[in-house]
Structures are given as structure tokens and as C-alpha cells.
Amino acid sequence: MKWCTLWVLTLSILFSFNTMAQDKSAFQKKTFQKEEGALPYRLLLPKDFDSNKKYPLVLFLHGSGERGNDNESQLVHGSSLFLKEEIRENYPAIVVFPQCAAGSSWAKLDVEGEFPNREFIFYIDAEPTPDMLLLEGLLKELKKTYRLKKNQIYVGGLSMGGMGTFELVRRNPKMFAAAFPICGGANPEISKRLKRPEWWVFHGDADEVVPEKYSANMVNAMKELGIQVKYTVYEGVGHNSWDNAFAEPELLSWLFSQSR
């Protein structure tokens, strides 16, 4: 009897792992190629995808820990949310997770000092990183390849990807309907170029990797300009505030309700 129970439990675990693998494989492996380089990305099409229909686009930018070229690591955080059955049913959209190269970043920044007392130096009008240029090229290709709802293009990201979210909107101020940076930051001086999208910014107040002040500085500067921005700070939460953000019951309903 014990052996039978153990065998059933083992099968259940194996089935769960297989299901997870199948879920991730729903994100198709793709690569955007240009003379300057290549950008791996994963693409999730809506259930019962119809090439004649128009769909919203969600772009999600990962953090520094998921950089590389395996076209796998960028799915570690956030992809499971978009794979949920009820989400795919209620919010049919094209979802894209690009992968930044090792040693590169979505936005140019410098760091002064050593952890935990380091300071991030954000720029007002820096030259784009190679991966930012590839990312913008990918967006152009997606617009040509798929019938997108141009008034429902969204971007979000965590940590380095949160910084990249601010930078991508700065460089393309009329493209996005909504943006949701998580534990990121930018130079508050760029706020005047962030007026078009609706914003929901997230951070943990116990974050030592990217201190909460970097999001707070952005939110304060944006509010002074009358920009529509929600700000959620998680008390006692460290750098993994994305777990809390992805668990927000209203995140996707808020996101998909936004339109340019």
C-alpha cells in the first residue's frame, strides 16, 4: 500500500514537471537578427490565434540575472502569469519576452561605490545600448509580422528590465498605452517624455539591490508633471517585489483596460 502511494505521488510530481515544461514551450523560441547582432526572444500567441484578428502586445523585460543567449532564462519570472488558462481566455494578447546579452543591459547606467552603499547613475539622453537598438528593431518587426492593436501596446520589466521600461518609453514616447516597471529606476529628468502611457510602478521598501528611492524619485517627478501613475510599495519586501506585483489581482485588468 505504501509502495502504491509512493508510486502515485512520483507520477504526480513527474506529471507536474511535464506540465510545467509544456507550459513554457507554449512560448515559441525566436531570434531577431540584424547586422549588429541577434536578440533571442520567446513569443506567446493567443489561444486559437487568428492571423486576421488584431491583438494587444505585451513586452516584458527581464533583470540582469536572466541575461545570456539560452533563450530560456528570461522566462523565469513572469511568464507563468501569462500562461494561466484564465488569463489566456480573458486577455488574448501576443506576449514577448526578449533576452538581453550577458554583460549588456537594456538601458545605459553606471554604478558608483560598492554594495550595499552603491549609487546608480542614470542618464538623461544616453546613447542606446546594443540590446536597446535590437529591442526597438524587434518591435518594428513584430508590427510588420502581426496585426497588432497599435493603441494597446504595453511594456513592463523587473530590476534592470524596470530601468529598461523607463528607457524604452523615453525613446518611444508615443508607442505605449501602459507601462509597469518593477524595482527599477531612471533619471527623473526624463519624466517629461513619459506623459503618454498610464503607469503602475512597484517596489519593495526593503530592497537593498535597487533601493526603493529610485522608483520613488521617478514617481514624484512624474506626479509633479501631472502624469497618471500608481505607486505600490511593499512593506518589508526586498528585491523580489516582482512576486508581489505579479500576484496583484488587478494588474492585468488594469493593463488591458489602457488604450492610447
Side-chain angles (χ1 to χ4, degrees), residues 82-114:
F82 295 99
L83 288 168
K84 289 182 177 180
E85 197 69 22
E86 65 272 24
I87 299 302
R88 300 194 72 188
E89 290 285 350
N90 294 330
Y91 306 108
I94 295 173
V95 183
V96 175
F97 276 62
Q99 185 177 33
C100 184
S104 186
S105 62
W106 301 120
K108 177 176 170 53
L109 72 152
D110 286 315
V111 182
E112 291 183 353
E114 299 294 328

Side-chain angles (χ1 to χ4, degrees), residues 140-259:
K140 290 179 182 177
E141 182 174 88
L142 291 169
K143 289 178 180 179
K144 292 177 182 177
T145 306
Y146 300 99
R147 291 174 57 82
L148 301 179
K149 291 185 175 181
K150 302 270 180 79
N151 63 339
Q152 285 187 282
I153 298 178
Y154 310 115
V155 61
L158 61 89
S159 193
M160 182 187 80
M163 300 170 189
T165 297
F166 284 115
E167 176 67 0
L168 185 61
V169 175
R170 180 191 75 81
R171 290 178 52 80
N172 303 271
K174 298 180 180 180
M175 182 181 295
F176 300 97
F180 58 104
I182 306 167
C183 57
N187 190 313
E189 293 296 320
I190 72 170
S191 294
K192 59 183 177 292
R193 293 183 60 82
L194 308 180
K195 295 180 179 181
R196 283 294 184 92
E198 298 287 324
W199 292 85
W200 193 349
V201 181
F202 303 90
H203 221 117
D205 70 358
D207 193 334
E208 294 183 345
V209 178
V210 180
E212 185 261 336
K213 67 179 181 179
Y214 293 113
S215 282
N217 291 342
M218 288 302 300
V219 169
N220 291 336
M222 293 162 74
K223 284 185 174 179
E224 285 180 6
L225 294 175
I227 297 172
Q228 294 296 314
V229 54
K230 298 174 63 174
Y231 188 31
T232 300
V233 180
Y234 300 111
E235 185 177 352
V237 173
H239 192 52
N240 65 323
S241 54
W242 53 80
D243 291 333
N244 300 72
F246 293 143
E248 287 284 350
E250 296 181 0
L251 175 60
L252 293 187
S253 61
W254 168 84
L255 185 70
F256 286 101
S257 69
Q258 309 305 325
S259 180

